[in-house]
Amino acid sequence: MTRAVLSIGSNVGDSYAHLRSVTSALGDRVVAVSSVYSSAPWGGVEQQDFLNAVVVADDEQRGPYDWLEVARELEKAADRVRVERWGPRSLDVDIITCDDISSSDPQLLLPHPRAHQRAFVLVPWLEVDPGASLEVSGEARSVGEWIESLSEEERAGVQRTEMTLHTPNTAP
C-alpha cells in the first residue's frame, strides 16, 4: 500500500467546492483529512487568502508518479491554469510525502522541498498525523518541531475555519 500526504489549496472561484472535489474524487482512499484552514498567500504575489487542507490517502495500486498523475487530473478538473508561480489558483494539489520515498526528479521532488517552510502545510498535517515527521537535507524532525522553527508571522497566517471536508466514510 502506498500512502501519500497531499496538501490542497484554493483561492479562485468556489474554493471550498474545489477542496471538496479532492476528497470526493479520492473516495475510500482517504485515510484522514484535516480541517479547512484559511492562510495568507505564500510567495509574495498579491492575492486573496487561500483555503487549505491536508489529505492522507492510501492506495495499493499507486506509486509516487501515479499520485502525481492523480494530482494533475484533480487540478485539471478544477480548471487549474498555471499563469504565475505562486499566483492565484482554483486548485493546487501538492504531494508532500509518499511513504518514505525520496526523489530528486524535477517532475516529482519528494519529500516536497518547501513543505517544512510552510505553516499552511504543516499545521493541518500535524492535526491529522501528530506523529508525522519530515526529513529535509538529511535532518529529520517531527512536523511539530518544523512548525516551531517557523516565524510567528508564518504560523499566525494560518487559521482554522469552521469548514470541514467529508469523505464517503464520514457523515456530512
Side-chain angles (χ1 to χ4, degrees):
M1 187 173 312
T2 303
R3 178 168 285 202
V5 175
L6 308 174
S7 174
I8 60 176
S10 173
N11 74 340
V12 172
D14 186 344
S15 294
Y16 184 51
H18 291 309
L19 297 185
R20 285 193 327 257
S21 73
V22 173
T23 56
S24 293
L26 293 176
D28 289 339
R29 292 174 285 192
V30 174
V31 173
V33 61
S34 74
S35 301
V36 176
Y37 289 79
S38 174
S39 63
W42 203 90
V45 176
E46 190 68 34
Q47 59 190 303
Q48 68 184 22
D49 286 354
F50 278 81
L51 291 182
N52 294 97
V54 163
V55 177
V56 179
D58 277 336
D59 189 333
E60 63 188 34
Q61 303 300 315
R62 286 185 165 47
Y65 287 93
D66 300 311
W67 284 113
L68 179 61
E69 184 61 31
V70 167
R72 289 178 175 164
E73 288 172 6
L74 291 166
E75 290 176 349
K76 183 178 178 182
D79 296 323
R80 163 81 186 260
V81 177
R82 296 177 190 271
V83 177
E84 180 177 20
R85 185 174 189 191
W86 295 320
R89 60 208 88 147
S90 56
L91 182 63
D92 189 30
V93 180
D94 287 336
I95 302 167
I96 305 305
T97 63
C98 188
D99 289 333
D100 291 325
I101 297 167
S102 292
S103 171
S104 58
D105 180 343
Q107 294 296 312
L108 181 61
L109 297 170
L110 289 174
H112 190 287
R114 289 173 298 283
H116 68 291
Q117 300 170 331
R118 297 175 171 174
F120 70 83
V121 172
L122 297 172
V123 171
W125 187 9
L126 183 65
E127 177 191 332
V128 295
D129 190 357
S133 64
L134 180 64
E135 185 173 325
V136 178
S137 301
E139 180 182 358
R141 292 187 193 179
S142 71
V143 170
E145 290 171 319
W146 285 116
I147 292 170
E148 289 173 12
S149 73
L150 298 175
S151 71
E152 177 58 35
E153 180 182 10
E154 176 71 16
R155 291 190 310 261
V158 178
Q159 299 294 316
R160 188 174 180 168
T161 72
E162 296 296 319
M163 293 178 262
T164 57
L165 299 171
H166 300 285
T167 67
N169 302 322
T170 61

